[in-house]
Amino acid sequence: VIDVNGIITSYGALGENMVSRIKKQLDLAGADARIKAVLLRIDSPGGEVLASEEIALAIREFQEEHNKPVIASMGGLAASGGYYVAAPCRFIVANELTITGSIGVIIQSINMHGLMEKVGVKPVTFKSGKNKDMLSPFNSPESVSEEQKAILQGFIDETYDKFVKVVEDGRKKTGGRNGPLAKELDSDWRDSADGRILSGKQALDLGMVDDLGRTEAELRRVVESDDPFL
């Protein structure tokens, strides 16, 4: 059992962080002949794009190299990056009331320009290029150029397209996902990939998860009985 709890991040002390921990656990599971499958227990609202991608890639490589399935078990929350790391798993189980989905990318900045003007504080900035201080909290919202808006939106769109591809590739009924219990994405699933959250039941209807309500004990029994979804 590998836990993905809280914000997905690559930050940590002395080189230890969520990404490195999960990679080490997968390496141990791959090297242990007694382990038939990995249960990825997710309770996360998401987090960093790169950290989510590194975990998802480690899961794909583990399944390909060791021919052992990773089964995602969603807790109360598996949204955004929490769903990103579930997408490449061989089988995804949620509860009806799991909060999932939130397929999207967001960049935010708090702007303090008006407050600073009110108290008489004026920032002084030296920069090497006109776009170096994009999203600076000290600039007025009106000072954001159309070029800067296009740069930021282009980054968001590129990252979003990557997210969608991870989902579509992970949910294909190929390889180990040929079993009868594996769900395919609904043809209209992208209509719901607009950042909205989904219940576990809604995600099942869209083919984003494969099953509802199985407990950890039930999943262990399925693995031991060589259920065809594996």
Side-chain angles (χ1 to χ4, degrees):
V1 177
I2 297 178
D3 288 310
V4 182
N5 289 331
I7 302 296
I8 296 175
T9 178
S10 57
Y11 293 99
L14 302 176
E16 282 295 323
N17 55 57
M18 180 181 288
V19 175
S20 62
R21 173 181 60 80
I22 291 173
K23 286 182 177 179
K24 286 180 181 178
Q25 288 176 298
L26 287 172
D27 287 343
L28 290 171
D32 191 336
R34 298 169 299 174
I35 293 177
K36 297 177 63 177
V38 169
L39 185 65
L40 192 73
R41 201 161 46 187
I42 304 170
D43 201 339
S44 170
E48 295 172 38
V49 172
L50 182 56
S52 300
E53 167 61 15
E54 287 186 336
I55 293 171
L57 179 60
I59 291 169
R60 286 196 297 272
E61 291 177 343
F62 169 83
Q63 292 181 132
E64 292 170 1
E65 181 178 351
H66 301 288
N67 196 29
K68 297 179 181 182
V70 179
I71 304 164
S73 176
M74 294 180 171
L77 184 60
S80 195
Y83 185 76
Y84 196 115
V85 300
C89 294
R90 189 77 56 83
F91 200 76
I92 304 176
V93 180
N95 185 278
E96 285 189 5
L97 299 180
T98 295
I99 297 173
T100 187
S102 191
I103 308 294
V105 183
I106 186 171
I107 297 177
Q108 291 179 308
S109 175
I110 296 174
N111 191 277
M112 298 186 290
H113 179 79
L115 175 62
M116 294 176 66
E117 278 195 330
K118 186 174 182 179
V119 298
V121 177
K122 186 174 182 179
V124 178
T125 303
F126 300 92
K127 55 185 180 179
S128 60
K130 59 183 178 179
N131 295 317
K132 185 61 179 174
D133 60 346
M134 287 193 301
L135 289 180
S136 168
F138 308 126
N139 296 336
S140 68
E142 296 77 20
S143 68
V144 181
S145 68
E146 292 303 315
E147 179 186 22
Q148 291 174 345
K149 291 178 183 177
I151 290 171
L152 291 168
Q153 191 60 54
F155 175 81
I156 289 172
D157 291 344
E158 181 180 346
T159 308
Y160 172 76
D161 289 342
K162 172 66 175 177
F163 197 159
V164 169
K165 188 175 188 306
V166 167
V167 175
E168 291 181 334
D169 288 349
R171 301 302 295 162
K172 288 178 180 176
K173 290 204 69 169
T174 58
R177 280 187 45 78
N178 274 327
L181 297 182
K183 304 291 185 185
E184 288 186 279
L185 286 172
D186 185 83
S187 59
D188 296 326
W189 86 275
R190 281 206 187 195
D191 293 343
S192 298
D194 58 0
R196 75 182 72 181
I197 59 172
L198 303 166
S199 69
K201 185 177 184 308
Q202 290 172 325
L204 179 69
D205 292 341
L206 291 168
M208 293 173 62
V209 305
D210 299 292
D211 199 5
L212 295 179
R214 295 202 188 202
T215 66
E216 183 177 321
E218 287 173 332
L219 289 171
R220 287 179 182 273
R221 286 197 295 271
V222 167
V223 171
E224 292 167 358
S225 65
D226 292 321
D227 190 293
F229 79 63
L230 299 176

